[in-house]
């Protein structure tokens, strides 16, 4: 395994921690900065919106720069954002720090995935992307408990100091270990903003982005309300939710690794099967949510199938876009838009009085559409 790939995974781990740890720190942050719970919630929402915007804007702005140089700059931005959060004297600076840290998120994973696949042989490109995203999935497992543990022991600022330190390590590792030649020269057919946007003329790009958004939307639409499903339907206590979420996180890690290997063998088939597996899992979860044993198994499978599609989707969209970095960034934006859509539709179902299993059925419906879109994309690709 190339050492540069480990450095990229460490960067993904730090960025993932920043995204997830705040959930376990919100009460402390709100109390310390004297703001309401709703205002504190914007530290999560503002981050997500900044990810979606930064993924496109920063990727477009840096398209002519060598990719290694861009990655170093993005991680430096991440360090500055978390440093602002750690030192924040008030809510406004804290929110600014979250926004600044989030700006690098989408571009890092978009450009980083292109660099990761360039470090290995072509037949291992999806596995290389899976290794880089392994840092993100590990952060999903550890993020909330890490934030809660450090915050409880040393205060919420200590958690952001720890993430800042991880960012410095990642920056040093990328600067030292990622080969310079992985940065694309400034003038090739895929460079230049006009050429980057030209990639979006391809129906394959749009079909892949749509499948990505719907796949994420189905999973996170269900996941956003999973704590209520566990406690109100499954009979679990509030204290059980933390370890159940860790089971889900372990599923993400396993699914990411399996999905990377499967995509290197037959990518389109692996993507259709992963999305179909997620659809069936969500539907079964809705039917069996009252069973504690079934809930534990199905939340694991939900994470496994949900993230099994991620490495393949990343490599697919960049392949059909002929290496355009902007398409990789758009894939991250699509996933965040899908997250927001799924959570909104799941919330509407609960508000309509359909119960706490309704988001699972909504998620299954969304991912079923993703299966059809991905199958159409695969069929069109075979014809050409």
């Amino acid at each position: 395994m190339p050492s540069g790939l480990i450095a990229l995974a460490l960067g993904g781990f730090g960025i993932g921690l920043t995204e997830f740890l705040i959930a376990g720190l919100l009460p402390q942050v709100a109390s310390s900065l004297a703001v309401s719970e709703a205002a504190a919630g914007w530290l999560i929402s503002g981050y997500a919106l900044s990810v979606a915007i930064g993924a496109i804007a920063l990727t477009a702005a840096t398209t002519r720069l060598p990719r290694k140089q861009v990655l170093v700059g993005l991680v430096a931005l991440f360090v500055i954002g978390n440093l602002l959060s750690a030192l924040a004297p008030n809510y406004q600076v804290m929110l600014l720090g979250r926004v600044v840290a989030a700006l690098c998120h989408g571009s890092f994973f978009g450009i980083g995935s292109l660099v990761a696949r360039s470090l290995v042989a072509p037949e291992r490109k999806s596995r290389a992307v899976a290794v880089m995203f392994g840092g993100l999935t590990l952060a999903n497992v550890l993020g909330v408990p890490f934030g809660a543990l450090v915050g409880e022991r040393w205060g919420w600022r200590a958690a952001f100091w720890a993430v800042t330190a991880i960012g410095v390590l990642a920056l040093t590792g990328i600067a030292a270990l990622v080969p310079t030649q992985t940065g694309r020269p400034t003038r090739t057919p895929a460079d230049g903003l006009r050429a980057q946007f030209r990639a979006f003329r391809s129906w394959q790009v749009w079909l892949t982005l749509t499948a990505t958004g719907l796949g994420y939307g189905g999973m996170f639409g269900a996941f956003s309300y999973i704590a209520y499903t566990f406690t109100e339907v499954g009979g679990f206590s509030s204290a059980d939710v933390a370890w159940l979420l860790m089971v889900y996180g372990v599923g993400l890690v396993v699914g990411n690794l399996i999905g990377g290997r499967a995509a290197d063998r037959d990518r389109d088939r692996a993507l259709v099967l992963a999305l179909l597996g997620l659809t069936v899992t969500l539907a079964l979860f809705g039917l069996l949510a009252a069973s504690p044993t079934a809930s534990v198994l199905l939340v694991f499978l939900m994470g496994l199938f949900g993230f099994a599609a991620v490495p393949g989707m990343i490599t697919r969209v960049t392949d059909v876009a002929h290496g355009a970095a902007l398409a990789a960034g758009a894939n991250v934006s699509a996933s965040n838009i899908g997250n927001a859509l799924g959570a909104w539709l799941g919330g509407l179902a609960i508000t309509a009085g359909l119960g706490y299993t309704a988001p699972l059925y909504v998620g299954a419906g969304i991912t079923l559409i993703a299966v059809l879109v991905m199958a159409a994309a695969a069929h069109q690709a075979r014809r050409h």
Side-chain angles (χ1 to χ4, degrees), residues 171-246:
L171 189 151
T172 304
I174 290 170
L177 301 175
V178 173
T180 301
Q181 60 264 32
T182 58
R184 186 182 291 274
T186 55
R187 295 194 180 278
T188 72
D191 280 319
L193 197 54
R194 186 178 301 173
Q196 293 281 326
F197 279 110
R198 197 176 299 132
F200 290 90
R201 294 178 181 176
S202 166
W203 271 107
Q204 284 291 324
V205 170
W206 286 108
L207 288 171
T208 308
L209 292 176
T210 301
T212 294
L214 291 171
Y216 267 92
M219 180 172 67
F220 281 97
F223 179 73
S224 297
Y225 305 97
I226 200 70
Y228 295 103
T229 307
F230 285 140
T231 56
E232 302 299 322
V233 182
F236 291 98
S237 69
S238 299
D240 290 327
V241 172
W243 69 261
L244 287 165
L245 293 181
M246 291 193 73

Side-chain angles (χ1 to χ4, degrees), residues 11-375:
F13 177 67
I15 291 173
L17 277 183
T18 298
E19 180 177 14
F20 300 121
L21 66 79
I22 189 67
L25 297 172
L26 272 187
Q28 286 189 44
V29 173
S31 175
S32 174
L33 299 180
V35 296
S36 67
E37 291 83 354
W42 270 100
L43 298 175
I44 296 176
S45 303
Y47 186 97
L49 290 172
S50 189
V51 168
I53 294 169
I56 299 295
L58 287 185
T59 303
T62 58
T63 186
R64 287 187 177 274
L65 298 176
R67 286 177 180 163
K68 177 179 176 178
Q69 180 181 325
V70 173
L71 287 174
V72 169
L74 290 171
V75 178
L77 194 65
F78 164 79
V79 170
I80 292 169
N82 281 285
L83 192 58
L84 281 173
S85 295
L87 296 170
N90 54 47
Y91 172 76
Q92 288 75 17
V93 175
M94 179 70 178
L95 183 59
L96 175 64
R98 293 287 293 167
V99 168
V100 170
L103 284 172
C104 78
H105 185 125
S107 291
F108 178 86
F109 285 109
I111 296 171
S113 65
L114 295 175
V115 172
R117 59 185 286 172
S118 73
L119 296 175
V120 299
E123 65 272 14
R124 298 177 64 87
K125 58 188 178 183
S126 292
R127 273 173 280 186
V129 171
V131 170
M132 191 195 77
F133 272 85
L136 178 64
T137 58
L138 187 60
N140 203 312
V141 177
L142 300 177
V144 174
F146 172 84
L149 178 64
V150 174
E152 182 69 28
R153 199 170 180 87
W154 295 290
W156 64 268
R157 294 182 190 274
F160 285 97
W161 279 114
V163 175
T164 301
I166 292 171
V168 172
L169 285 175
L171 189 151
T172 304
I174 290 170
L177 301 175
V178 173
T180 301
Q181 60 264 32
T182 58
R184 186 182 291 274
T186 55
R187 295 194 180 278
T188 72
D191 280 319
L193 197 54
R194 186 178 301 173
Q196 293 281 326
F197 279 110
R198 197 176 299 132
F200 290 90
R201 294 178 181 176
S202 166
W203 271 107
Q204 284 291 324
V205 170
W206 286 108
L207 288 171
T208 308
L209 292 176
T210 301
T212 294
L214 291 171
Y216 267 92
M219 180 172 67
F220 281 97
F223 179 73
S224 297
Y225 305 97
I226 200 70
Y228 295 103
T229 307
F230 285 140
T231 56
E232 302 299 322
V233 182
F236 291 98
S237 69
S238 299
D240 290 327
V241 172
W243 69 261
L244 287 165
L245 293 181
M246 291 193 73
V247 171
Y248 167 78
V250 172
L252 295 181
V253 174
V254 175
N256 178 58
L257 297 175
I258 293 175
R261 287 181 174 273
D264 279 334
R265 294 191 185 97
D266 187 337
R267 185 169 57 199
D268 283 358
R269 183 170 180 267
L271 291 174
V272 170
L273 289 176
L275 292 170
L276 185 60
L278 179 59
T279 303
V280 173
T281 297
L282 292 174
L284 284 175
F285 205 164
L287 291 171
L288 303 175
S291 166
T293 303
S295 293
V296 174
L297 174 62
L298 290 167
V299 78
F300 171 79
L301 292 176
M302 181 174 142
L304 187 151
F305 286 117
F307 229 81
V310 171
M313 285 296 189
I314 285 281
T315 56
R316 190 180 203 281
V317 77
T318 49
D319 279 349
V320 297
H322 305 293
L326 194 58
N331 196 72
V332 179
S333 290
S335 65
N336 278 270
I337 292 169
N339 293 352
L341 174 66
W344 177 63
L345 292 175
L348 285 181
I350 291 174
T351 303
L354 299 179
Y356 289 113
T357 58
L360 292 163
Y361 293 120
V362 169
I366 295 172
T367 52
L368 180 58
I369 300 172
V371 172
L372 298 176
V373 171
M374 190 62 241

